[in-house]
């Protein structure tokens, strides 16, 4: 069935280094992707999104890359800070209509001071 | 603008009881979605409401139900609670449903 999966369930990085969190999706019809950050005890928080007509989108210290050929999504965090420690979810909307969003299992990012 | 709010934040129930959770979306948002989050299953979609109508439904038993009011506030109900229903229940709102969803803090339900 349709699914969004993550390659790495846990990731530890040194403070100041760059982090890369990966995500694979299986539905080639998906055209909208979102990254969420979930800190302990809180609901997921929107980080950045990208549409399928784009390959790259940048935000503040974050960049999302989309490779439609291999159905792969990644989130890059520059100069990772302790406050970036959280679980990161990728999510896909199968199409720009009212289909339900599908979330990946999440990657736990730990930043080592 | 106030974010998504959920009440109560924590709840303890026993097997067989029922529970009602409440969600108030961001002002102006008409779509409300509910998710169940557990360590083993991750985030699973329950259902989505738009303009008081259930528009999408996930693969959960009929014990899980919901509704949306004219002011877009939503409630979900779980009847005949089971131990496996212990989870964090998240509500998310968006303008029309397919755009970015904004999540509330969740209601943590513990079934004993």
């Amino acid at each position: 069935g349709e699914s969004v999966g993550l390659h790495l369930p846990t990731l530890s990085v040194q403070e100041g280094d760059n982090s890369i969190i990966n995500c694979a999706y299986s539905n080639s019809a998906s055209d909208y992707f979102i990254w969420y950050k979930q800190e302990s005890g809180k609901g997921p928080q929107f980080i950045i999104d990208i549409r399928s007509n784009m390959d790259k989108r940048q935000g503040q210290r974050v960049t999302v890359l989309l490779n439609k050929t291999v159905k792969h999504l990644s989130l890059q965090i520059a100069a990772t800070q302790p406050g970036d420690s959280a679980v990161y979810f990728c999510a896909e909307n199968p199409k720009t209509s009212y289909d339900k969003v599908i979330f990946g299992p999440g990657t736990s990012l730990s930043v080592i001071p | 603008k106030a974010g998504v709010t959920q009440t109560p934040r924590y709840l303890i129930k026993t097997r067989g009881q029922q529970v009602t959770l409440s969600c108030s979306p961001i002002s102006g948002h008409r779509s409300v979605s509910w998710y169940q989050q557990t360590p083993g299953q991750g985030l699973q979609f329950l259902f989505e409401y738009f303009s008081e109508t259930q528009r999408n439904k996930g693969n959960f038993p009929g014990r899980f139900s919901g509704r949306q009011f004219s002011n877009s506030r939503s409630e979900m109900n779980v009847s005949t609670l089971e131990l496996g229903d212990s989870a964090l229940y998240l509500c998310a709102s968006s303008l029309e449903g397919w755009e970015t969803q904004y999540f509330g803090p969740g209601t943590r339900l513990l079934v004993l």
Side-chain angles (χ1 to χ4, degrees), chain A residues 47-60:
Chain A
I47 302 173
I48 192 168
D49 59 3
I50 189 168
R51 298 202 180 280
S52 60
N53 60 352
M54 302 172 69
D55 297 323
K56 179 180 179 179
R57 190 167 187 212
Q58 288 184 293
Q60 186 175 9

Side-chain angles (χ1 to χ4, degrees), chain B residues 13-14 29 32 35 46 49 56 61 69 76 79 83 86 89 91 99-100:
Chain B
K13 293 285 187 179
T14 56
H29 286 193
V32 174
Y35 296 85
L46 281 156
Y49 285 86
N56 279 301
F69 302 94
M76 68 163 281
S79 62
L83 295 179
S86 295
Y89 290 88
C91 163
E99 327 87 329
T100 303

Side-chain angles (χ1 to χ4, degrees), chain A residues 57-76:
Chain A
R57 190 167 187 212
Q58 288 184 293
Q60 186 175 9
R61 284 201 307 118
V62 295
T63 300
V64 55
L65 299 177
L66 176 62
N67 185 331
K68 295 180 287 294
T69 302
V70 295
K71 289 184 279 188
H72 182 268
L73 194 68
S74 69
L75 176 71
Q76 300 178 358

